């Protein structure tokens, strides 16, 4: 005897309009089973074979059993027809493509509703915002449709779940990580830790506060309320951080969950602003893939043109929050730019070694008309670059810098100083140094190396940003 139920999940127009459900081995059937209180009978074991509930099919793999059932139905002349053209969508393993058979198993879940409510509230209040409106919308959409979060995984790589099962009463004792001495329910002492590990997103979503809270070092000199204030820990000083920069495909897995867990654990959002970058595509805007043969291997590019050139090539022409069109020509062009900066530095150093050492002070800066011009250009560049960085228009910042360094500083100003070498040296050095500071976020290696060549004692990375 088989129980027959009517359920809206089944399309009466499709096939015979009747479908067999196995709540233990299919998510849709599971839901139907829940609606009609059907018994959950697990017939597939963890070994992928049919179990003792399946009679003569016991011990067969799922695939073998399917064939055998069809055979038996045919023998009994109970099979009307087999649709050989029917396409079935089944879940497969992401690595080996084996078909996945769902099994009912005990798992750990996080109830998301209260966390979602807090997160949406924080977004509404502007405590955390997405730079682009469209990603704000995507985040809200995910929050609105979030299922309770299954945080346990049956893999060994990951943080083991700090839950111990009592062998006596079968209850769980959960801790913050320390091994419990006894069962929280019955005080029994025979406890076995769960072998499951956390979902990697559950672990990584705690990154913003976990890293800062566990850091031993304290930020030197960061005090609240002036010199007499108390020394702040890294967490107190840096949390919430200012900007979270990541890719849009992990908004649902990572970004919205960092906000949820940050609010839960600290009462504060983990960051103030979310900036999303696009995918790196080829120069025609096509997705990069091995099969298309349009792969631009970053390690090969670094080997060929240097890391700074690759970095510049990625930012060049790329509007933030849009996909990036990357090409080798572009990276090569940026290598040429890096060479140009080296050449400027060499010119300055060569001339300096040929004359008396100059120390730039306001007193010996004899300003010619050219000097005043390049200073004005520098000031305008500092303003534009700073503003572009503040508004995340990184591409505009480097295009501005490129124009200034190559076409104004090198092509015009530097050329003109050849007629008055010694006199112009302090200004040359000053403009070069300010240019290096502005270029440093985009070309950290070349600029730091030149900075050292210039004999600067403090590292470029810790020098202050030029003020306009
Ligand atoms: Zn597999
Ligand atoms: Zn117990």
């Amino acid at each position: 005897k088989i129980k027959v139920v009517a359920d809206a999940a089944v399309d009466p127009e499709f096939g015979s309009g009747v479908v067999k459900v196995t709540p233990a081995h299919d998510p849709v059937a599971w839901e139907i089973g829940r609606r009609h209180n059907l018994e959950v009978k697990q017939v597939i074991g963890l070994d992928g074979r049919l179990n003792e509930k399946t009679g003569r099919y016991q011990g067969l793999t799922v695939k073998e059993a399917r064939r055998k059932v069809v055979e038996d139905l045919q023998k009994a002349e109970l099979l009307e027809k087999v649709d050989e053209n029917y396409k079935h969508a089944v879940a497969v393993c992401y690595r080996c493509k084996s078909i996945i058979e769902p099994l009912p198993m005990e798992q750990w879940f996080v109830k998301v509703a209260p966390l979602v409510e807090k997160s949406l509230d924080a977004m509404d209040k502007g405590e955390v915002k997405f730079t682009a409106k469209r990603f704000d919308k995507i985040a809200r959409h995910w929050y609105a449709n979030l299922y309770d979060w299954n945080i346990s995984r049956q893999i060994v790589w990951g943080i083991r779940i700090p839950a111990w099962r009592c062998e006596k009463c079968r209850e769980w004792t959960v801790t913050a990580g320390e091994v419990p001495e006894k069962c929280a329910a019955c005080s029994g002492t025979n406890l076995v830790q769960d072998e499951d590990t956390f979902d990697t997103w559950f672990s990584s979503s705690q990154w913003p506060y976990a890293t800062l809270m566990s850091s031993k070092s304290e930020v030197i000199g960061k005090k609240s309320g002036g010199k007499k204030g108390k020394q702040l820990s890294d967490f107190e000083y840096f949390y919430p951080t200012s900007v979270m920069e990541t890719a849009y495909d992990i908004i649902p897995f990572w970004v919205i969950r960092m906000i949820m867990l940050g609010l839960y654990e600290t009462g504060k959002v983990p960051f103030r602003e979310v900036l999303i970058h696009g995918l790196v595509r080829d120069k025609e805007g096509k997705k990069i893939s091995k099969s298309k043969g349009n792969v631009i291997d970053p390690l090969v590019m670094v080997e060929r043109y240097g890391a700074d050139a690759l970095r510049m090539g990625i930012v060049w022409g790329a509007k933030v929050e849009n996909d990036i069109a990357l090409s080798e020509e572009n990276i090569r062009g940026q290598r040429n730019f890096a060479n140009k900066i080296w050449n400027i530095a060499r010119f300055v150093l060569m001339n300096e070694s040929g004359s008396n050492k100059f120390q730039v002070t306001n007193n010996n800066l004899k300003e010619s008309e050219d000097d005043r011009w390049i200073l004005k250009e520098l000031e305008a560049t500092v303003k534009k670059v700073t503003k572009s960085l503040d508004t995340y228009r990184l591409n505009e910042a480097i295009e501005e810098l490129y124009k200034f360094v190559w076409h104004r500083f090198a092509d015009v100003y530097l050329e003109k100083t050849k007629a008055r070498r010694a006199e112009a040296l302090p200004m040359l050095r000053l403009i070069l140094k300010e240019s290096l500071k502005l270029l440093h976020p985009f070309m950290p290696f070349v600029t730091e190396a030149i900075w050292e060549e210039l004999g600067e004692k403090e590292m470029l990375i810790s020098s202050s940003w030029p003020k306009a």
Side-chain angles (χ1 to χ4, degrees):
K1 268 185 198 165
I2 292 178
K3 189 173 179 181
V4 178
V5 298
D7 193 276
V10 182
D11 178 4
E13 304 295 320
F14 182 81
S16 62
V18 179
V19 66
K20 175 225 56 160
V21 293
T22 42
H25 300 292
D26 176 83
V28 178
W30 171 268
E31 292 297 331
I32 295 173
R34 286 222 308 193
R35 286 194 282 271
H36 302 280
N37 289 317
L38 303 181
E39 195 189 337
V40 176
K41 283 188 203 165
Q42 182 176 343
V43 296
I44 305 171
L46 277 171
D47 57 359
R49 291 175 184 276
L50 298 202
N51 66 15
E52 71 288 347
K53 291 203 186 88
T54 59
R56 62 190 148 132
Y57 303 107
Q58 181 178 356
L60 298 178
T61 64
V62 174
K63 216 172 158 186
E64 289 164 352
R66 282 207 181 101
R67 231 173 262 138
K68 190 83 175 69
V69 168
V70 172
E71 246 176 62
D72 291 350
L73 285 171
Q74 261 160 350
K75 263 188 221 154
E77 294 183 354
L78 288 169
L79 199 64
E80 190 156 304
K81 83 168 197 197
V82 175
D83 183 353
E84 296 287 351
N85 296 319
Y86 183 70
K87 285 215 172 74
H88 200 51
V90 291
V92 295
C93 169
Y94 77 104
R95 300 199 77 159
C96 69
K97 311 292 175 213
S98 305
I99 293 172
I100 290 168
E101 299 294 346
L103 298 179
M105 286 171 77
E106 217 179 10
Q107 303 288 342
W108 295 95
F109 282 84
V110 168
K111 195 187 283 173
V112 297
L115 304 176
V116 164
E117 198 190 312
K118 273 189 189 162
S119 304
L120 286 171
D121 191 43
M123 282 174 73
D124 290 341
K125 285 184 187 148
E127 287 167 9
V128 54
K129 64 171 194 158
F130 286 74
T131 312
K133 273 273 162 288
R134 67 180 193 276
F135 295 121
D136 177 277
K137 237 177 168 175
I138 288 172
R140 285 175 189 275
H141 173 82
W142 277 99
Y143 276 138
N145 294 286
L146 212 57
Y147 287 109
D148 280 341
W149 182 3
N150 173 204
I151 55 164
S152 45
R153 294 289 181 273
Q154 291 72 57
I155 51 175
V156 276
W157 298 275
I159 298 170
R160 197 164 166 191
I161 293 179
W164 283 259
R165 179 166 240 167
C166 175
E167 293 291 281
K168 198 167 137 201
C169 74
R170 307 301 293 159
E171 286 295 324
W172 289 100
T173 300
V174 181
T175 76
E178 67 280 4
V179 182
E181 281 172 11
K182 54 187 190 209
C183 167
C186 76
S187 296
T189 51
N190 196 357
L191 303 171
V192 179
Q193 188 176 0
D194 192 353
E195 288 189 343
D196 286 3
T197 48
F198 283 125
D199 169 22
T200 182
W201 298 111
F202 181 74
S203 310
S204 58
S205 293
Q206 301 183 52
W207 182 85
Y209 58 83
T211 48
L212 293 171
M213 277 177 169
S214 57
S215 129
K216 294 272 184 295
S217 76
E218 292 195 333
V219 184
I220 298 157
K222 300 297 179 199
K223 290 184 173 175
S224 64
K227 280 187 178 170
K228 284 179 189 161
K230 91 177 194 26
Q231 182 75 39
L232 295 174
S233 70
D234 283 354
F235 176 75
E236 288 167 320
Y237 182 72
F238 288 112
Y239 193 92
T241 58
S242 46
V243 183
M244 166 51 60
E245 206 288 332
T246 188
Y248 59 73
D249 52 346
I250 54 176
I251 290 174
F253 306 113
W254 198 38
V255 178
I256 67 167
R257 290 165 207 266
M258 278 191 282
I259 298 172
M260 284 159 62
L261 294 184
L263 283 165
Y264 175 78
E265 188 62 31
T266 73
K268 283 185 200 161
V269 292
F271 31 74
R272 294 290 177 207
E273 193 156 0
V274 182
L275 181 68
I276 299 293
H277 65 250
L279 292 179
V280 176
R281 294 175 181 271
D282 75 4
K283 61 182 166 183
E284 268 107 46
K286 290 202 192 92
K287 209 171 170 194
I288 289 178
S289 75
K290 268 190 190 158
S291 57
K292 283 199 194 105
N294 60 353
V295 172
I296 301 170
D297 186 333
L299 293 178
V300 174
M301 292 299 113
V302 168
E303 193 62 43
R304 221 171 266 170
Y305 306 110
D308 285 343
L310 174 65
R311 201 175 165 111
M312 284 286 279
I314 290 172
V315 182
W316 188 266
K319 273 195 202 145
V320 78
E321 310 209 284
N322 287 284
D323 285 354
I324 295 160
L326 188 64
S327 72
E328 185 164 350
E329 293 94 301
N330 201 343
I331 300 166
R332 195 183 302 129
Q334 299 307 329
R335 189 266 323 265
N336 297 345
F337 182 48
N339 286 347
K340 189 76 195 175
I341 303 167
W342 268 115
N343 289 339
I344 297 170
R346 242 173 245 136
F347 178 85
V348 174
L349 287 166
M350 242 171 52
N351 283 340
E352 281 184 351
S353 68
S355 36
N356 296 326
K357 283 274 174 201
F358 278 94
Q359 199 61 41
V360 182
T361 65
N362 286 333
N363 301 330
N364 68 1
L365 264 178
K366 283 201 203 84
E367 287 183 17
S368 72
E369 201 181 310
D370 292 344
D371 294 340
R372 279 192 292 277
W373 173 76
I374 195 70
L375 278 173
K376 237 179 87 193
E377 288 294 319
L378 173 70
E379 198 188 317
T381 305
V382 170
K383 263 187 197 155
K384 281 184 198 157
V385 170
T386 306
K387 196 173 169 222
S388 298
L389 286 179
D390 283 345
T391 48
Y392 309 117
R393 294 197 298 262
L394 310 184
N395 58 315
E396 289 176 20
I398 61 162
E399 279 153 32
E400 204 53 55
L401 270 170
Y402 186 96
K403 272 193 282 183
F404 173 75
V405 172
W406 197 316
H407 300 307
R408 295 186 194 123
F409 182 29
D411 286 355
V412 180
Y413 181 77
L414 187 143
E415 285 303 318
K416 282 187 170 179
T417 63
K418 287 178 180 168
R420 50 179 192 106
R421 292 191 180 217
E423 185 198 299
L425 274 175
M427 186 60 80
L428 270 174
R429 177 175 265 264
L430 179 118
I431 303 293
L432 174 60
K433 278 175 63 180
E434 295 305 288
S435 301
L436 292 176
K437 287 180 193 169
L438 294 168
L439 285 165
H440 184 263
F442 303 102
M443 311 179 89
F445 297 102
V446 170
T447 51
E448 193 73 70
I450 295 173
W451 189 257
E452 204 184 321
E453 293 275 313
L454 290 175
E456 293 297 328
K457 287 186 189 74
E458 190 200 7
M459 281 185 82
L460 177 56
I461 196 170
S462 49
S463 65
S464 336
W465 185 252
K467 282 200 177 73

